[in-house]
Amino acid sequence: MTMIRSYAALQAGAPLQPFEYEAGELPRDHVEIDVKYCGLCHSDLSMLDNDWGLSQYPFVAGHEIIGTVAAVGAGVQTVRPGQTVGLGWYSQSCMHCDQCMSGDHNLCPTAEGTIVGRHGGFADKVRAHASWVLPLPDGLDPATSGPLFCGGITVFNPIIRNGIAATDRVGVIGIGGLGHMAVKLAHAMGAEVTVISRSNSKKDDAARLGADHYVATEEAGALRAHRNEFDLIINTVSAPLDLDTYLRLLRLDGTMVNVGAPPEPLSLRVFTLFGNRRSFAGSSIGGIRETQEMLDFCAEHGIVPDTELIDGAQVNEAWDRVLASDVRYRFVIDASTI
Ligand SMILES: [Zn+2]
Ligand SMILES: [Zn+2]
């Protein structure tokens, strides 16, 4: 039996406050993690406010978790106590549906979200099925690697699934938590990377992150100059865009993948897809093996998210700054302060 200390919202939109809960016996195929660091993702905010109708209260956010294995159930063989590990959006999947058997565990229809109907990582401890608890490779800093487990894999997946190579041109719409990781990863793959942002305010940052080109959409005609250019566009913004304008930027067989999630329905002209045989797609998170590949790739290429470390007590203030896009580019909570 374990008492877990956490920060929880007692109702939708309420500020987080200290909250303790009894976690019960550790199931034989589960791992208990001593949380060291936990990133703040925009999805935590959506869940806090019950934007998706999935939230239960008290609500403990946090799904970009780095920690050390505190205990393992009797059936766990993949990690051992003391090992440094991470846990992301999912904490369990069925392991026998078509999606799980194909390695696309993130698309399992019964996959369990780490903060959906259970308590997440803004806590001193968190638990998950062993299969989703992945060892952090040597060379990755535990203090900055948490966001790889949600934001990182979310943008790595479309790069890999679309076979992006050094000869390809990748556009990234929006430079935030997701976008800045997309630029780093696509650049490390060798692709020619263009950041598409509203203003020039992040132009220097984009170059530092590895972007080759920068487009400020508020400048008249800026997008038109890039028509038929990109093999892949990763759209990280969660506000609605004029899709046809952006889809026209795709060259032959190019794909635009939405990883940001506007709550409103989107519309586009199918004729825009006919031209250049373009595709419009969505993607979220990635499978277990792919997540490990992403971690290994980041360790090999020295890729870490840009983070700002905060104490547990600063979390409510940090939410406000996330909403105001006033963070470059991810907050990470130091769990020793919880
Ligand atoms: Zn997330
Ligand atoms: Zn499944």
Side-chain angles (χ1 to χ4, degrees):
M1 307 292 263
T2 308
M3 279 301 280
I4 295 184
R5 282 184 291 122
S6 71
Y7 272 86
L10 300 185
Q11 56 187 327
L16 302 189
Q17 59 184 72
F19 169 71
E20 289 193 11
Y21 67 96
E22 170 57 57
E25 296 290 334
L26 184 66
R28 68 173 270 115
D29 49 4
H30 277 54
V31 174
E32 186 171 280
I33 301 170
D34 274 333
V35 180
K36 301 295 184 198
Y37 301 97
C38 187
L40 257 75
C41 173
H42 204 277
S43 303
D44 289 311
L45 266 179
S46 301
M47 287 291 294
L48 175 70
D49 292 342
N50 200 18
D51 287 346
W52 302 329
L54 298 171
S55 308
Q56 291 176 24
Y57 301 87
F59 169 70
V60 180
H63 61 274
E64 295 185 339
I65 299 159
I66 301 286
T68 54
V69 175
V72 297
V76 173
Q77 298 183 340
T78 49
V79 293
R80 60 183 188 283
Q83 195 170 1
T84 302
V85 294
L87 173 69
W89 178 259
Y90 288 112
S91 50
Q92 182 156 286
S93 51
C94 82
M95 296 296 171
H96 56 74
C97 69
D98 286 352
Q99 289 86 336
C100 282
M101 293 300 278
S102 303
D104 296 309
H105 312 85
N106 53 310
L107 302 177
C108 173
T110 59
E112 174 191 76
T114 300
I115 59 169
V116 182
R118 66 195 296 288
H119 296 320
F122 290 0
D124 65 342
K125 288 183 167 58
V126 70
R127 292 176 172 187
H129 191 277
S131 55
W132 283 94
V133 176
L134 300 181
L136 195 70
D138 290 342
L140 283 180
D141 178 1
T144 56
S145 298
L148 294 175
F149 283 79
C150 177
I153 183 59
T154 292
V155 293
F156 184 75
N157 183 286
I159 293 170
I160 292 298
R161 294 280 159 186
N162 287 281
I164 290 305
T167 50
D168 291 325
R169 298 176 196 152
V170 175
V172 176
I173 307 176
I175 292 289
L178 290 169
H180 93 284
M181 283 186 256
V183 172
K184 289 188 182 203
L185 289 164
H187 172 69
M189 290 283 173
E192 186 176 334
V193 182
T194 300
V195 164
I196 303 168
S197 187
R198 189 175 308 153
S199 74
N200 274 312
S201 67
K202 292 179 177 172
K203 193 168 184 176
D204 291 345
D205 264 17
R208 180 180 56 78
L209 297 166
D212 301 285
H213 313 286
Y214 191 94
V215 178
T217 58
E218 67 184 11
E219 292 176 0
L223 285 175
R224 177 175 286 269
H226 293 271
R227 282 192 178 175
N228 306 310
E229 182 171 313
F230 299 107
D231 300 278
L232 172 68
I233 295 175
I234 302 175
N235 178 17
T236 72
V237 304
S238 39
L241 297 174
D242 176 5
L243 289 181
D244 293 289
T245 298
Y246 287 89
L247 287 165
R248 286 190 199 104
L249 307 182
L250 294 170
R251 71 203 288 196
L252 182 64
D253 286 324
T255 300
M256 176 162 153
V257 179
N258 254 60
V259 293
E264 307 85 355
L266 303 175
S267 72
L268 59 88
R269 283 166 51 84
V270 173
F271 277 104
T272 313
L273 300 178
F274 289 171
N276 273 343
R277 204 162 45 211
R278 299 173 174 116
S279 300
F280 181 55
S283 184
S284 77
I285 323 292
I288 293 170
R289 188 188 125 209
E290 207 165 50
T291 305
Q292 190 69 62
E293 280 176 356
M294 178 271 308
L295 295 171
D296 294 343
F297 181 81
C298 288
E300 194 178 328
H301 293 269
I303 297 173
V304 285
D306 290 7
T307 56
E308 181 178 333
L309 197 64
I310 58 169
D311 290 349
Q314 293 174 281
V315 65
N316 292 307
E317 178 193 327
W319 286 139
D320 293 338
R321 287 184 54 197
V322 169
L323 281 176
S325 297
D326 175 26
V327 52
R328 297 200 173 178
Y329 281 94
R330 263 293 204 254
F331 287 112
V332 171
I333 295 178
D334 178 349
S336 68
T337 63
I338 289 178

